[in-house]
Short mmCIF file of all heavy atoms in Angstrom, two decimals:
data_model
loop_
_atom_site.label_atom_id
_atom_site.label_comp_id
_atom_site.label_asym_id
_atom_site.label_seq_id
_atom_site.Cartn_x
_atom_site.Cartn_y
_atom_site.Cartn_z
N MET A 125 90.97 116.56 115.04
CA MET A 125 91.07 115.10 115.33
C MET A 125 91.61 114.39 114.19
O MET A 125 92.40 113.38 114.28
CB MET A 125 89.67 114.56 115.73
CG MET A 125 89.74 113.17 116.24
SD MET A 125 88.17 112.73 117.14
CE MET A 125 87.63 111.45 116.09
N GLU A 126 91.25 114.81 112.93
CA GLU A 126 91.74 114.13 111.72
C GLU A 126 93.26 114.29 111.56
O GLU A 126 93.86 113.33 111.25
CB GLU A 126 91.02 114.69 110.48
CG GLU A 126 89.59 114.24 110.43
CD GLU A 126 88.97 114.77 109.17
OE1 GLU A 126 89.62 115.10 108.20
OE2 GLU A 126 87.61 115.01 109.25
N LYS A 127 93.75 115.43 111.97
CA LYS A 127 95.19 115.60 111.82
C LYS A 127 95.92 114.73 112.85
O LYS A 127 97.02 114.24 112.52
CB LYS A 127 95.53 117.12 112.04
CG LYS A 127 96.98 117.47 111.73
CD LYS A 127 97.12 117.29 110.19
CE LYS A 127 98.39 117.96 109.78
NZ LYS A 127 98.67 117.83 108.44
N ILE A 128 95.46 114.54 114.03
CA ILE A 128 96.05 113.64 115.00
C ILE A 128 96.09 112.23 114.43
O ILE A 128 97.16 111.50 114.45
CB ILE A 128 95.35 113.64 116.32
CG1 ILE A 128 95.48 115.06 117.04
CG2 ILE A 128 95.88 112.59 117.28
CD1 ILE A 128 94.60 115.25 118.18
N ALA A 129 94.98 111.79 113.92
CA ALA A 129 94.90 110.43 113.33
C ALA A 129 95.90 110.23 112.20
O ALA A 129 96.60 109.26 112.10
CB ALA A 129 93.49 110.13 112.77
N GLU A 130 95.99 111.32 111.39
CA GLU A 130 96.85 111.27 110.22
C GLU A 130 98.32 111.21 110.66
O GLU A 130 99.13 110.41 110.11
CB GLU A 130 96.60 112.55 109.37
CG GLU A 130 97.48 112.64 108.13
CD GLU A 130 97.23 113.92 107.34
OE1 GLU A 130 96.00 114.25 107.19
OE2 GLU A 130 98.21 114.66 107.03
N ARG A 131 98.67 112.03 111.69
CA ARG A 131 100.05 112.04 112.16
C ARG A 131 100.37 110.68 112.72
O ARG A 131 101.56 110.12 112.47
CB ARG A 131 100.24 113.10 113.26
CG ARG A 131 100.18 114.48 112.64
CD ARG A 131 101.47 115.05 112.28
NE ARG A 131 101.50 116.19 111.46
CZ ARG A 131 101.61 117.47 111.95
NH1 ARG A 131 101.92 117.71 113.17
NH2 ARG A 131 101.61 118.49 111.10
N ILE A 132 99.60 110.06 113.49
CA ILE A 132 99.85 108.78 114.11
C ILE A 132 100.13 107.73 113.01
O ILE A 132 101.05 106.93 113.04
CB ILE A 132 98.75 108.37 115.02
CG1 ILE A 132 98.73 109.28 116.29
CG2 ILE A 132 98.99 106.83 115.49
CD1 ILE A 132 97.51 109.06 117.14
N LYS A 133 99.21 107.67 112.05
CA LYS A 133 99.32 106.75 110.96
C LYS A 133 100.57 106.95 110.15
O LYS A 133 101.29 105.93 109.78
CB LYS A 133 98.08 106.65 110.05
CG LYS A 133 98.09 105.72 109.01
CD LYS A 133 96.81 105.64 108.30
CE LYS A 133 96.67 104.44 107.37
NZ LYS A 133 95.37 104.27 106.73
N THR A 134 100.91 108.12 109.79
CA THR A 134 102.06 108.44 109.03
C THR A 134 103.29 108.11 109.78
O THR A 134 104.23 107.51 109.23
CB THR A 134 102.14 109.95 108.65
OG1 THR A 134 100.95 110.28 107.87
CG2 THR A 134 103.33 110.32 107.88
N LEU A 135 103.33 108.39 111.15
CA LEU A 135 104.57 108.08 111.87
C LEU A 135 104.74 106.57 111.98
O LEU A 135 105.84 106.01 111.83
CB LEU A 135 104.45 108.67 113.31
CG LEU A 135 104.62 110.22 113.33
CD1 LEU A 135 104.12 110.70 114.64
CD2 LEU A 135 106.05 110.61 113.18
N ARG A 136 103.63 105.85 112.11
CA ARG A 136 103.64 104.42 112.22
C ARG A 136 104.31 103.81 110.96
O ARG A 136 105.15 102.91 110.98
CB ARG A 136 102.30 103.84 112.53
CG ARG A 136 102.29 102.28 112.61
CD ARG A 136 100.93 101.73 112.82
NE ARG A 136 99.97 102.05 111.82
CZ ARG A 136 99.89 101.48 110.67
NH1 ARG A 136 100.71 100.57 110.25
NH2 ARG A 136 98.88 101.77 109.73
N ILE A 137 103.65 104.19 109.84
CA ILE A 137 104.09 103.71 108.46
C ILE A 137 105.55 104.06 108.20
O ILE A 137 106.36 103.19 107.71
CB ILE A 137 103.21 104.27 107.41
CG1 ILE A 137 101.80 103.58 107.58
CG2 ILE A 137 103.75 103.94 106.04
CD1 ILE A 137 100.73 104.19 106.75
N GLU A 138 105.92 105.28 108.50
CA GLU A 138 107.45 105.67 108.29
C GLU A 138 108.25 104.84 109.14
O GLU A 138 109.39 104.61 108.78
CB GLU A 138 107.51 107.20 108.57
CG GLU A 138 106.94 108.06 107.51
CD GLU A 138 106.95 109.56 107.84
OE1 GLU A 138 107.46 109.89 108.98
OE2 GLU A 138 106.63 110.34 106.98
N ALA A 139 107.77 104.49 110.31
CA ALA A 139 108.65 103.66 111.25
C ALA A 139 108.57 102.12 110.78
O ALA A 139 109.39 101.36 111.38
CB ALA A 139 108.25 103.74 112.67
N GLY A 140 107.79 101.83 109.84
CA GLY A 140 107.76 100.41 109.42
C GLY A 140 107.07 99.49 110.43
O GLY A 140 107.41 98.35 110.41
N LEU A 141 106.09 100.08 111.17
CA LEU A 141 105.51 99.20 112.27
C LEU A 141 104.04 98.96 111.98
O LEU A 141 103.37 99.78 111.28
CB LEU A 141 105.59 99.98 113.54
CG LEU A 141 106.93 100.28 114.13
CD1 LEU A 141 106.91 101.18 115.33
CD2 LEU A 141 107.73 99.01 114.37
N SER A 142 103.49 97.79 112.34
CA SER A 142 102.12 97.60 112.26
C SER A 142 101.42 98.13 113.47
O SER A 142 101.99 98.67 114.43
CB SER A 142 101.95 96.01 112.33
OG SER A 142 102.28 95.48 113.63
N THR A 143 100.03 98.18 113.37
CA THR A 143 99.32 98.65 114.53
C THR A 143 99.48 97.80 115.82
O THR A 143 99.50 98.26 116.83
CB THR A 143 97.84 98.78 114.27
OG1 THR A 143 97.33 97.47 113.75
CG2 THR A 143 97.48 99.81 113.20
N ARG A 144 99.70 96.52 115.57
CA ARG A 144 100.02 95.61 116.66
C ARG A 144 101.24 95.91 117.30
O ARG A 144 101.43 95.94 118.54
CB ARG A 144 99.99 94.13 116.10
CG ARG A 144 100.08 93.10 117.28
CD ARG A 144 99.96 91.68 116.78
NE ARG A 144 98.61 91.49 116.10
CZ ARG A 144 97.50 91.27 116.75
NH1 ARG A 144 97.43 91.29 117.99
NH2 ARG A 144 96.40 91.08 115.96
N GLN A 145 102.35 96.22 116.61
CA GLN A 145 103.66 96.48 117.10
C GLN A 145 103.62 97.84 117.83
O GLN A 145 104.24 97.93 118.96
CB GLN A 145 104.71 96.68 115.91
CG GLN A 145 105.02 95.28 115.33
CD GLN A 145 105.85 95.43 114.05
OE1 GLN A 145 105.51 96.21 113.24
NE2 GLN A 145 106.96 94.66 114.00
N VAL A 146 102.94 98.74 117.31
CA VAL A 146 102.82 100.00 118.07
C VAL A 146 102.05 99.83 119.40
O VAL A 146 102.44 100.33 120.50
CB VAL A 146 102.08 101.12 117.29
CG1 VAL A 146 101.77 102.43 118.04
CG2 VAL A 146 102.92 101.52 116.04
N GLY A 147 100.97 99.04 119.32
CA GLY A 147 100.16 98.80 120.48
C GLY A 147 100.94 98.14 121.61
O GLY A 147 101.05 98.44 122.74
N GLU A 148 101.67 97.07 121.16
CA GLU A 148 102.63 96.36 122.11
C GLU A 148 103.66 97.29 122.70
O GLU A 148 103.95 97.16 124.00
CB GLU A 148 103.23 95.18 121.44
CG GLU A 148 102.27 94.04 121.14
CD GLU A 148 102.90 92.93 120.28
OE1 GLU A 148 104.09 93.00 119.88
OE2 GLU A 148 102.21 91.91 120.03
N ALA A 149 104.29 98.16 121.93
CA ALA A 149 105.28 99.01 122.41
C ALA A 149 104.78 100.03 123.47
O ALA A 149 105.49 100.40 124.33
CB ALA A 149 105.88 99.85 121.24
N ILE A 150 103.48 100.47 123.35
CA ILE A 150 103.00 101.38 124.31
C ILE A 150 101.93 100.87 125.24
O ILE A 150 101.39 101.64 126.11
CB ILE A 150 102.53 102.76 123.58
CG1 ILE A 150 101.23 102.40 122.72
CG2 ILE A 150 103.55 103.37 122.69
CD1 ILE A 150 100.59 103.64 122.25
N GLY A 151 101.65 99.63 125.11
CA GLY A 151 100.67 98.96 126.14
C GLY A 151 99.29 99.19 125.84
O GLY A 151 98.42 99.27 126.79
N VAL A 152 98.86 99.24 124.62
CA VAL A 152 97.49 99.20 124.23
C VAL A 152 97.26 98.13 123.20
O VAL A 152 98.16 97.63 122.57
CB VAL A 152 97.00 100.65 123.67
CG1 VAL A 152 97.10 101.71 124.74
CG2 VAL A 152 97.73 100.94 122.39
N SER A 153 95.98 97.87 122.81
CA SER A 153 95.64 96.89 121.83
C SER A 153 95.88 97.46 120.44
O SER A 153 95.83 98.68 120.24
CB SER A 153 94.24 96.40 122.03
OG SER A 153 93.37 97.39 121.63
N HIS A 154 96.05 96.53 119.44
CA HIS A 154 96.21 97.01 118.08
C HIS A 154 94.87 97.71 117.59
O HIS A 154 94.89 98.61 116.81
CB HIS A 154 96.56 95.94 117.15
CG HIS A 154 95.58 94.90 116.92
ND1 HIS A 154 94.67 94.99 115.85
CD2 HIS A 154 95.03 93.75 117.60
CE1 HIS A 154 93.82 93.95 115.91
NE2 HIS A 154 94.09 93.22 116.91
N SER A 155 93.78 97.16 118.16
CA SER A 155 92.47 97.85 117.77
C SER A 155 92.37 99.35 118.22
O SER A 155 91.68 100.08 117.66
CB SER A 155 91.31 96.96 118.28
OG SER A 155 91.30 96.86 119.61
N THR A 156 92.99 99.49 119.39
CA THR A 156 93.07 100.92 119.94
C THR A 156 93.76 101.79 118.97
O THR A 156 93.33 102.85 118.61
CB THR A 156 93.55 100.91 121.31
OG1 THR A 156 92.74 100.27 122.21
CG2 THR A 156 93.68 102.38 121.85
N VAL A 157 94.93 101.34 118.54
CA VAL A 157 95.73 102.15 117.59
C VAL A 157 94.94 102.32 116.29
O VAL A 157 94.92 103.42 115.80
CB VAL A 157 97.08 101.44 117.40
CG1 VAL A 157 97.89 102.18 116.32
CG2 VAL A 157 97.85 101.29 118.61
N ASN A 158 94.27 101.32 115.86
CA ASN A 158 93.44 101.33 114.71
C ASN A 158 92.36 102.43 114.95
O ASN A 158 92.04 103.24 113.92
CB ASN A 158 92.80 99.96 114.40
CG ASN A 158 92.26 99.94 112.99
OD1 ASN A 158 92.36 100.84 112.22
ND2 ASN A 158 91.64 98.81 112.72
N ARG A 159 91.69 102.48 116.00
CA ARG A 159 90.72 103.45 116.26
C ARG A 159 91.20 104.88 116.26
O ARG A 159 90.55 105.89 115.78
CB ARG A 159 89.95 103.21 117.61
CG ARG A 159 88.99 101.90 117.57
CD ARG A 159 88.38 101.83 118.90
NE ARG A 159 87.68 100.46 118.98
CZ ARG A 159 88.12 99.41 119.69
NH1 ARG A 159 89.19 99.61 120.47
NH2 ARG A 159 87.41 98.29 119.59
N TRP A 160 92.43 105.06 116.77
CA TRP A 160 93.03 106.30 116.69
C TRP A 160 93.26 106.83 115.30
O TRP A 160 92.98 108.08 114.87
CB TRP A 160 94.37 106.33 117.47
CG TRP A 160 94.33 106.16 118.89
CD1 TRP A 160 93.34 106.32 119.74
CD2 TRP A 160 95.41 105.69 119.76
NE1 TRP A 160 93.68 106.00 121.05
CE2 TRP A 160 94.96 105.58 121.00
CE3 TRP A 160 96.75 105.34 119.50
CZ2 TRP A 160 95.72 105.21 122.04
CZ3 TRP A 160 97.52 104.85 120.46
CH2 TRP A 160 97.04 104.86 121.85
N GLU A 161 93.72 105.86 114.44
CA GLU A 161 94.10 106.13 113.04
C GLU A 161 92.87 106.38 112.22
O GLU A 161 92.95 107.04 111.19
CB GLU A 161 94.98 105.04 112.45
CG GLU A 161 96.35 104.93 113.02
CD GLU A 161 97.27 103.91 112.30
OE1 GLU A 161 96.79 103.23 111.44
OE2 GLU A 161 98.33 103.81 112.72
N ASN A 162 91.74 105.80 112.71
CA ASN A 162 90.41 106.07 111.87
C ASN A 162 89.50 107.01 112.52
O ASN A 162 88.35 106.99 112.18
CB ASN A 162 89.86 104.65 111.70
CG ASN A 162 90.68 103.78 110.80
OD1 ASN A 162 90.78 104.15 109.58
ND2 ASN A 162 91.25 102.71 111.24
N CYS A 163 90.09 107.92 113.35
CA CYS A 163 89.28 109.00 114.02
C CYS A 163 88.00 108.46 114.77
O CYS A 163 87.04 109.16 114.90
CB CYS A 163 88.64 109.90 112.95
SG CYS A 163 89.99 110.87 112.05
N LYS A 164 88.14 107.35 115.45
CA LYS A 164 87.11 106.78 116.15
C LYS A 164 87.29 107.10 117.64
O LYS A 164 86.31 107.13 118.39
CB LYS A 164 86.98 105.23 116.08
CG LYS A 164 86.78 104.68 114.63
CD LYS A 164 85.47 105.09 114.16
CE LYS A 164 85.26 104.46 112.75
NZ LYS A 164 84.09 104.98 112.05
N ARG A 165 88.57 107.33 118.04
CA ARG A 165 88.95 107.68 119.37
C ARG A 165 90.12 108.61 119.32
O ARG A 165 90.88 108.63 118.37
CB ARG A 165 89.35 106.49 120.19
CG ARG A 165 88.29 105.48 120.36
CD ARG A 165 87.95 105.34 121.82
NE ARG A 165 86.66 104.48 121.88
CZ ARG A 165 86.42 103.89 123.05
NH1 ARG A 165 87.11 103.99 124.10
NH2 ARG A 165 85.32 103.17 123.05
N ILE A 166 90.38 109.37 120.42
CA ILE A 166 91.51 110.18 120.58
C ILE A 166 92.38 109.70 121.74
O ILE A 166 91.86 109.30 122.77
CB ILE A 166 91.10 111.62 120.87
CG1 ILE A 166 90.29 112.21 119.75
CG2 ILE A 166 92.39 112.51 121.04
CD1 ILE A 166 89.64 113.59 120.08
N PRO A 167 93.68 109.54 121.46
CA PRO A 167 94.61 109.05 122.59
C PRO A 167 94.62 109.99 123.72
O PRO A 167 94.54 111.17 123.47
CB PRO A 167 95.92 108.84 121.85
CG PRO A 167 95.89 109.64 120.65
CD PRO A 167 94.42 109.77 120.17
N ASP A 168 94.65 109.45 124.89
CA ASP A 168 94.68 110.29 126.14
C ASP A 168 96.11 110.76 126.25
O ASP A 168 97.05 110.49 125.50
CB ASP A 168 94.24 109.58 127.37
CG ASP A 168 95.08 108.45 127.80
OD1 ASP A 168 96.31 108.40 127.40
OD2 ASP A 168 94.61 107.52 128.52
N ALA A 169 96.42 111.70 127.20
CA ALA A 169 97.66 112.41 127.36
C ALA A 169 98.86 111.32 127.59
O ALA A 169 99.93 111.55 126.98
CB ALA A 169 97.58 113.27 128.55
N LEU A 170 98.62 110.31 128.39
CA LEU A 170 99.63 109.35 128.52
C LEU A 170 100.03 108.62 127.28
O LEU A 170 101.21 108.30 127.04
CB LEU A 170 99.24 108.26 129.70
CG LEU A 170 99.18 108.89 131.06
CD1 LEU A 170 98.69 107.90 132.07
CD2 LEU A 170 100.47 109.50 131.53
N ASN A 171 98.99 108.30 126.47
CA ASN A 171 99.27 107.64 125.25
C ASN A 171 99.89 108.51 124.22
O ASN A 171 100.79 108.11 123.45
CB ASN A 171 98.05 107.05 124.63
CG ASN A 171 97.48 105.80 125.41
OD1 ASN A 171 98.32 104.97 125.84
ND2 ASN A 171 96.25 105.70 125.58
N ILE A 172 99.55 109.86 124.26
CA ILE A 172 100.31 110.83 123.36
C ILE A 172 101.76 110.88 123.72
O ILE A 172 102.67 110.81 122.88
CB ILE A 172 99.62 112.21 123.50
CG1 ILE A 172 98.21 112.23 122.91
CG2 ILE A 172 100.50 113.21 122.80
CD1 ILE A 172 98.09 112.17 121.40
N LYS A 173 102.07 110.82 125.02
CA LYS A 173 103.37 110.95 125.50
C LYS A 173 104.15 109.60 125.07
O LYS A 173 105.25 109.70 124.66
CB LYS A 173 103.34 110.97 127.05
CG LYS A 173 104.77 111.03 127.62
CD LYS A 173 104.68 111.10 129.21
CE LYS A 173 106.09 111.08 129.75
NZ LYS A 173 106.06 111.14 131.26
N ALA A 174 103.61 108.49 125.13
CA ALA A 174 104.19 107.23 124.75
C ALA A 174 104.45 107.12 123.32
O ALA A 174 105.50 106.73 122.92
CB ALA A 174 103.22 106.10 125.17
N LEU A 175 103.49 107.70 122.44
CA LEU A 175 103.63 107.72 121.10
C LEU A 175 104.74 108.65 120.76
O LEU A 175 105.62 108.33 119.80
CB LEU A 175 102.31 108.20 120.32
CG LEU A 175 101.19 107.16 120.35
CD1 LEU A 175 99.89 107.90 119.95
CD2 LEU A 175 101.41 106.02 119.38
N ALA A 176 104.85 109.89 121.30
CA ALA A 176 105.85 110.74 121.05
C ALA A 176 107.28 110.14 121.36
O ALA A 176 108.22 110.27 120.50
CB ALA A 176 105.65 112.06 121.81
N LYS A 177 107.38 109.49 122.37
CA LYS A 177 108.60 108.84 122.80
C LYS A 177 108.92 107.73 121.79
O LYS A 177 110.14 107.58 121.40
CB LYS A 177 108.48 108.23 124.21
CG LYS A 177 109.88 107.72 124.70
CD LYS A 177 109.66 107.27 126.21
CE LYS A 177 110.90 106.80 126.79
NZ LYS A 177 110.95 106.48 128.18
N LEU A 178 107.93 106.89 121.49
CA LEU A 178 108.15 105.78 120.48
C LEU A 178 108.65 106.32 119.13
O LEU A 178 109.57 105.78 118.56
CB LEU A 178 106.87 105.01 120.28
CG LEU A 178 106.99 103.94 119.27
CD1 LEU A 178 107.92 102.78 119.68
CD2 LEU A 178 105.53 103.35 119.07
N PHE A 179 108.04 107.35 118.66
CA PHE A 179 108.40 107.88 117.27
C PHE A 179 109.50 109.01 117.30
O PHE A 179 109.72 109.59 116.29
CB PHE A 179 107.14 108.35 116.59
CG PHE A 179 106.20 107.21 116.37
CD1 PHE A 179 104.86 107.34 116.80
CD2 PHE A 179 106.60 106.15 115.63
CE1 PHE A 179 103.94 106.32 116.52
CE2 PHE A 179 105.64 105.12 115.37
CZ PHE A 179 104.34 105.25 115.82
N ASN A 180 109.91 109.34 118.57
CA ASN A 180 110.92 110.42 118.75
C ASN A 180 110.55 111.69 118.09
O ASN A 180 111.25 112.44 117.35
CB ASN A 180 112.32 109.96 118.07
CG ASN A 180 113.42 110.80 118.58
OD1 ASN A 180 113.42 111.21 119.67
ND2 ASN A 180 114.41 110.98 117.73
N VAL A 181 109.30 112.14 118.47
CA VAL A 181 108.83 113.42 118.09
C VAL A 181 108.20 114.09 119.31
O VAL A 181 107.99 113.44 120.35
CB VAL A 181 107.68 113.25 116.93
CG1 VAL A 181 108.30 112.65 115.63
CG2 VAL A 181 106.50 112.53 117.35
N SER A 182 107.80 115.30 119.21
CA SER A 182 107.17 115.97 120.26
C SER A 182 105.67 115.66 120.38
O SER A 182 104.94 115.36 119.29
CB SER A 182 107.35 117.49 120.29
OG SER A 182 106.57 117.98 119.18
N ALA A 183 105.06 115.75 121.63
CA ALA A 183 103.63 115.61 121.70
C ALA A 183 102.98 116.71 120.92
O ALA A 183 101.93 116.53 120.30
CB ALA A 183 103.27 115.75 123.16
N ASP A 184 103.54 117.91 120.80
CA ASP A 184 102.95 118.97 120.05
C ASP A 184 102.81 118.63 118.61
O ASP A 184 101.81 118.97 117.88
CB ASP A 184 103.86 120.29 120.22
CG ASP A 184 103.66 120.85 121.61
OD1 ASP A 184 102.78 120.58 122.42
OD2 ASP A 184 104.45 121.87 121.88
N TYR A 185 103.79 117.90 118.09
CA TYR A 185 103.84 117.46 116.63
C TYR A 185 102.56 116.60 116.51
O TYR A 185 101.85 116.72 115.43
CB TYR A 185 105.11 116.76 116.29
CG TYR A 185 105.04 116.25 114.88
CD1 TYR A 185 105.18 117.18 113.82
CD2 TYR A 185 104.77 114.92 114.60
CE1 TYR A 185 105.10 116.66 112.41
CE2 TYR A 185 104.62 114.53 113.21
CZ TYR A 185 104.80 115.29 112.24
OH TYR A 185 104.73 114.86 110.96
N ILE A 186 102.45 115.56 117.34
CA ILE A 186 101.23 114.62 117.19
C ILE A 186 100.06 115.35 117.29
O ILE A 186 99.09 115.12 116.55
CB ILE A 186 101.45 113.50 118.15
CG1 ILE A 186 102.65 112.69 117.95
CG2 ILE A 186 100.12 112.69 118.29
CD1 ILE A 186 102.90 111.65 119.04
N LEU A 187 99.91 116.42 118.18
CA LEU A 187 98.65 117.13 118.41
C LEU A 187 98.46 118.20 117.39
O LEU A 187 97.38 118.97 117.44
CB LEU A 187 98.62 117.74 119.86
CG LEU A 187 98.65 116.65 120.95
CD1 LEU A 187 98.85 117.30 122.33
CD2 LEU A 187 97.22 115.87 120.92
N ASP A 188 99.42 118.37 116.48
CA ASP A 188 99.32 119.42 115.45
C ASP A 188 99.21 120.82 116.11
O ASP A 188 98.43 121.62 115.65
CB ASP A 188 98.21 119.21 114.47
CG ASP A 188 98.28 120.09 113.23
OD1 ASP A 188 99.44 120.32 112.75
OD2 ASP A 188 97.17 120.50 112.76
N LEU A 189 99.94 121.17 117.17
CA LEU A 189 99.94 122.41 117.74
C LEU A 189 101.01 123.33 117.25
O LEU A 189 102.19 123.06 117.13
CB LEU A 189 100.21 122.32 119.28
CG LEU A 189 99.20 121.41 120.13
CD1 LEU A 189 99.62 121.34 121.50
CD2 LEU A 189 97.85 122.17 119.98
N ASP A 190 100.51 124.47 116.67
CA ASP A 190 101.37 125.47 116.06
C ASP A 190 101.56 126.56 117.15
O ASP A 190 100.64 127.38 117.33
CB ASP A 190 100.84 125.90 114.80
CG ASP A 190 101.73 127.02 114.16
OD1 ASP A 190 102.88 127.17 114.61
OD2 ASP A 190 101.29 127.66 113.15
N LEU A 191 102.73 126.54 117.79
CA LEU A 191 102.87 127.58 118.89
C LEU A 191 103.45 128.86 118.34
O LEU A 191 103.78 129.71 119.15
CB LEU A 191 103.69 126.84 119.99
CG LEU A 191 103.11 125.60 120.60
CD1 LEU A 191 104.07 125.09 121.66
CD2 LEU A 191 101.75 125.94 121.17
N VAL A 192 103.85 128.97 117.16
CA VAL A 192 104.46 130.12 116.60
C VAL A 192 103.35 131.02 116.10
O VAL A 192 102.46 130.65 115.32
CB VAL A 192 105.39 129.75 115.48
CG1 VAL A 192 106.03 130.98 114.88
CG2 VAL A 192 106.46 128.82 115.90
N GLY A 193 103.48 132.29 116.47
CA GLY A 193 102.47 133.30 115.96
C GLY A 193 101.13 133.05 116.49
O GLY A 193 100.15 133.59 116.27
#
């Protein structure tokens, strides 16, 4: 769970976006994004998909899935 939070926060910062901007882009509140980044909640599948699309990465990257080996 910590790795997911870290990935979301890092992607957001690298994109130069606030939690409010991310929330508006994917249809959730900024406090929801904040909870994800602080390991208070885990985004559901639809939100993972929206985040992946927003940041132009795979859902596997956000979920820290290593499918090799």
Side-chain angles (χ1 to χ4, degrees):
M125 186 163 122
E126 288 179 28
K127 192 65 170 180
I128 295 170
E130 181 182 312
R131 292 270 166 102
I132 294 169
K133 186 171 187 175
T134 299
L135 288 166
R136 178 183 61 76
I137 291 169
E138 287 177 353
L141 299 173
S142 68
T143 56
R144 186 171 304 279
Q145 290 170 312
V146 171
E148 288 173 358
I150 66 169
V152 300
S153 70
H154 71 94
S155 59
T156 295
V157 177
N158 194 4
R159 287 183 191 109
W160 295 340
E161 290 186 0
N162 290 296
C163 295
K164 303 291 184 194
R165 299 244 172 159
I166 300 173
D168 66 20
L170 292 177
N171 288 320
I172 292 287
K173 181 180 175 182
L175 289 165
K177 187 173 180 178
L178 175 66
F179 295 125
N180 197 33
V181 297
S182 70
D184 286 352
Y185 176 78
I186 294 172
L187 295 169
D188 192 36
L189 295 177
D190 182 7
L191 301 178
V192 178

